[in-house]
Amino acid sequence: MDENTAKEVQSSASHNAKENSSRIIRVGTRKSQLARTQTGTVMNMLKEHYPHAQLEIVAMTTTGDKILDTALSKIGEKSLFTKELEAALEKNEVDLVVHSLKDLPTALPPGFAIGAICKREIPYDAVVVHPSHAGKSLDTLAERSVVGTSSLRRAAQLKRRFPHLEFKDIRGNLNTRLKKLDEKNDFSAIVLAAAGLRRMGWENRISQILEPEDCMYAVGQGALAVEVRVNDPDVLEMVSALNDTETVLRCIAERSFMKHLEGGCSVPVAVHSVINQNQLYLTGAVYSLDGSDSLKDTMQTSVSTQTQDEDCNVADVQHVGIMAKRIPHNSQAAAEKLGIDLANLLLSKGAKDILTVARQLNDSR
Ligand code: DPM
């Protein structure tokens, strides 16, 4: 951890003598309210599975938390929110780290893995309007109303779907953004992940949930991930209890699609996935920055969602950074292949050109 990285330790373990004899598990988190809430949720789930576990929070500030005035897509570094936390993980200062899956790059540095992905919450984006527009949706906002988002993915899809609106960058953590919306008159509405709003307790501010026809979500959106050291089998085993089979398979497919397209935060890539009767369906799309150009397709594969015993496990295989014990290995491989196949289909139709132009335009903004 660098010297600027403030650190605080707060014990949340109960202290009876018996429990003190077991290993203390230190849980790393970013300091933002959303990150702390998410970490708390995962710690509570761990305590449900392991009532005697001793868990301790270690909170840190990351580069992504410090740079509040630049759009994520302009900063260009993929591991913005994860680098400092991974450094602490590497030095054994923490044993696991909780992230929003969508902030984790599709390839993790060597030695790390996503040991668990918890059951996904609502993955869709939501519209929050300025109090003076209460009750309005994107359709009913006046011509040339300004909508805040710095996600290229959201802007591209929404420009296409709602051409009467204007889109402008808005940065900062969730608290900052809501403040910027409410206390000034710069924006008529902002678009945020519904899951984040819900976790912050601001569900009542949501005036519209965007359907996939309006705006497909980001890879991994709405799911929490637990990052661990590959060489720590005890923690890997412990967190694997949190894996949700459907979420894991959907997210492997989504991340594999993104990885194969060589997408990232700096290009407009969106997905939608669903599992129905052992079929995993993945829809993926790429957009030009203004949404005028796009490619979208859906493919499917069969998967099994039955959880497996320890023995049937191929223990240390990673699929796009995910090392999900207990989840059928064949299905994980099928999900990964689905993502690659869909990426290849879009690439064969010209996705590379769309993404290259989008990247160049964004770099020169
Ligand atoms: C990533 C994006 C954004 C976050 C890009 C995207 C939104 C950036 C912005 C990769 N990470 O979605 O196209 O609007 O300027 C982020 C949020 C959450 C995780 C907040 C949000 C919470 C929800 C979740 C930021 N990362 O998207 O409103 O767990 O998915």
Side-chain angles (χ1 to χ4, degrees):
M1 217 182 310
D2 67 67
E3 349 178 274
N4 304 329
T5 307
K7 174 175 163 181
E8 59 179 73
V9 173
Q10 163 193 335
S11 174
S12 60
S14 52
H15 287 285
N16 81 44
K18 217 165 156 196
E19 289 185 357
N20 277 343
S21 62
S22 69
R23 176 179 170 187
I24 294 175
I25 306 291
R26 284 151 310 164
V27 181
T29 182
R30 290 166 51 211
K31 279 187 170 178
S32 77
Q33 194 187 338
L34 178 67
R36 283 173 185 272
T37 307
Q38 296 184 162
T39 302
T41 303
V42 168
M43 287 173 78
N44 285 340
M45 287 194 278
L46 283 172
K47 279 185 221 154
E48 261 172 46
H49 285 276
Y50 309 100
H52 297 293
Q54 293 194 80
L55 305 175
E56 226 175 64
I57 289 192
V58 181
M60 287 167 249
T61 306
T62 67
T63 312
D65 300 306
K66 286 182 215 154
I67 309 176
L68 294 178
D69 47 358
T70 314
L72 289 185
S73 60
K74 291 292 285 175
I75 302 172
E77 182 176 349
K78 275 194 196 150
S79 49
L80 216 52
F81 292 113
T82 56
K83 210 170 63 183
E84 284 88 350
L85 291 161
E86 277 166 353
L89 199 52
E90 183 155 42
K91 291 187 214 156
N92 290 341
E93 291 169 351
V94 299
D95 302 302
L96 60 94
V97 179
V98 177
H99 303 278
S100 295
L101 179 62
K102 90 163 168 172
D103 295 330
L104 281 181
T106 49
L108 302 186
F112 303 114
I114 298 168
I117 305 180
C118 309
K119 190 173 169 58
R120 191 177 221 169
E121 291 175 64
I122 178 170
Y124 302 114
D125 290 318
V127 179
V128 177
V129 296
H130 188 276
S132 65
H133 297 301
K136 295 237 160 130
S137 62
L138 293 185
D139 300 273
T140 56
L141 279 176
E143 193 79 21
R144 312 211 69 107
S145 295
V146 177
V147 177
T149 175
S150 29
S151 153
L152 301 179
R153 171 187 62 82
R154 289 172 183 148
Q157 294 182 84
L158 296 174
K159 280 175 188 166
R160 183 187 177 87
R161 176 72 182 73
F162 303 99
H164 68 294
L165 302 175
E166 282 184 17
F167 294 87
K168 292 225 164 83
D169 277 345
I170 183 167
R171 270 286 281 144
N173 60 35
L174 291 189
N175 307 60
T176 316
R177 289 184 195 205
L178 277 192
K179 243 183 144 173
K180 282 184 184 165
L181 172 70
D182 288 351
E183 292 176 7
K184 295 187 182 175
N185 283 310
D186 297 349
F187 300 100
S188 298
I190 56 177
V191 182
L192 296 167
L197 287 163
R198 190 177 271 185
R199 290 181 199 133
M200 297 285 279
W202 294 332
E203 216 175 348
N204 61 343
R205 288 298 309 268
I206 296 178
S207 65
Q208 178 183 13
I209 297 276
L210 294 169
E211 300 292 326
E213 305 78 61
D214 296 332
C215 188
M216 296 205 300
Y217 44 82
V219 166
Q221 185 161 313
L224 298 182
V226 184
E227 190 178 16
V228 299
R229 287 181 296 269
V230 172
N231 66 6
D232 191 343
D234 293 344
V235 171
L236 194 58
E237 172 62 30
M238 180 183 189
V239 303
S240 72
L242 304 186
N243 273 319
D244 176 72
T245 310
E246 290 207 2
T247 306
V248 167
L249 295 176
R250 287 170 61 190
C251 291
I252 287 176
E254 294 173 11
R255 285 170 63 82
S256 160
F257 170 70
M258 173 85 128
K259 182 176 186 180
H260 206 67
L261 275 181
E262 294 173 48
C265 228
S266 57
V267 285
V269 171
V271 294
H272 181 80
S273 64
V274 62
I275 295 183
N276 195 352
Q277 298 189 326
N278 291 329
Q279 285 291 306
L280 167 59
Y281 299 83
L282 177 66
T283 301
V286 303
Y287 302 88
S288 60
L289 289 191
D290 65 1
S292 61
D293 211 356
S294 73
L295 285 169
K296 175 158 135 184
D297 246 302
T298 304
M299 292 180 86
Q300 67 186 81
T301 190
S302 40
V303 290
S304 156
T305 51
Q306 223 89 58
T307 314
Q308 284 180 337
D309 286 346
E310 279 314 286
D311 346 341
C312 336
N313 252 316
V314 185
D316 47 4
V317 176
Q318 287 198 25
H319 296 280
V320 276
I322 300 164
M323 205 181 249
K325 300 180 90 173
R326 297 175 210 217
I327 311 295
H329 181 73
N330 292 345
S331 298
Q332 293 191 50
E336 184 165 12
K337 181 170 181 299
L338 177 63
I340 294 172
D341 289 346
L342 184 63
N344 280 335
L345 179 62
L346 292 193
L347 288 169
S348 76
K349 294 182 178 178
K352 187 138 216 145
D353 291 343
I354 294 182
L355 292 179
T356 305
V357 173
R359 209 174 266 124
Q360 283 166 353
L361 265 177
N362 185 49
D363 288 346
S364 64
R365 271 206 299 170

